[in-house]
Amino acid sequence: MKTFRTLFAFMMLAVASFMMVACDKDEPPVSPPEPNPEVDVTFEIEVTNITSNSSLITVTPSKDDVLYYFDNIAKDEFVNDYGSSVAATAEGAFEQMVAMGMTIEEAIETYASRGVDSWHYDGGLSPEEDYVAYAVPISSEGKALAEGQMQEYRT
């Protein structure tokens, strides 16, 4: 029994010594890596063929290999729901796609772009309404990698 107590005391001393060494408070905490580093890209956003209920949006990125998302949104919704943030608007769009049953992978494959792209918004816009066309670089998880750019227009 005495051997057991000696062995137990030795093991407790070893554990305590290890914890004192492993918990050195002089070392700075390890910072987690930035999950979404900002991407250096700009977008030329052209809105043409504007009618009372449609528009054609063409986006030209400064770098053709960058994954990005573009869309348009009513200006009131852009301001009131997303605080005039292009990044928040794009991330909100992907959250909505996932909430409607798409996987993030399906949403990215279906709606993300590389290089010059355009979309004709035909019949879904309201007359005499202010809109914001926007583009933002995104990760493969649908997260904005920069604030992005926007172009306001009116139908």
Side-chain angles (χ1 to χ4, degrees):
M1 187 71 167
K2 187 175 183 181
T3 306
F4 174 75
R5 275 189 270 168
T6 305
L7 182 59
F8 181 76
F10 178 76
M11 287 179 9
M12 291 305 292
L13 179 64
V15 169
S17 298
F18 174 77
M19 290 186 70
M20 288 186 341
V21 171
C23 296
D24 186 0
K25 294 181 182 178
D26 292 335
E27 292 182 40
V30 177
S31 299
E34 287 292 318
N36 294 318
E38 191 162 309
V39 172
D40 182 28
V41 63
T42 58
F43 298 97
E44 179 183 331
I45 302 171
E46 292 182 278
V47 184
T48 58
N49 299 348
I50 301 170
T51 69
S52 63
N53 65 355
S54 66
S55 66
L56 174 65
I57 298 175
T58 303
V59 178
T60 305
S62 60
K63 296 179 181 176
D64 284 341
D65 62 334
V66 171
L67 185 67
Y68 69 95
Y69 176 72
F70 77 98
D71 202 350
N72 72 210
I73 186 171
K75 185 176 179 182
D76 287 346
E77 186 179 352
F78 179 70
V79 171
N80 297 329
D81 295 353
Y82 297 105
S84 300
S85 169
V86 171
T89 305
E91 289 179 1
F94 281 103
E95 288 168 7
Q96 289 175 6
M97 292 175 213
V98 170
M100 292 187 316
M102 294 182 90
T103 66
I104 193 64
E105 292 82 10
E106 291 169 333
I108 295 292
E109 180 155 338
T110 303
Y111 296 107
S113 301
R114 289 187 200 274
V116 177
D117 201 358
S118 62
W119 186 259
H120 186 219
Y121 295 87
D122 190 15
L125 306 180
S126 299
E128 299 298 316
E129 181 89 25
D130 292 321
Y131 286 92
V132 174
Y134 64 90
V136 62
I138 57 169
S139 70
S140 59
E141 292 83 34
K143 299 296 180 189
L145 299 178
E147 180 50 36
Q149 291 173 261
M150 63 176 221
Q151 175 71 43
E152 293 183 30
Y153 70 99
R154 185 170 181 82
T155 54

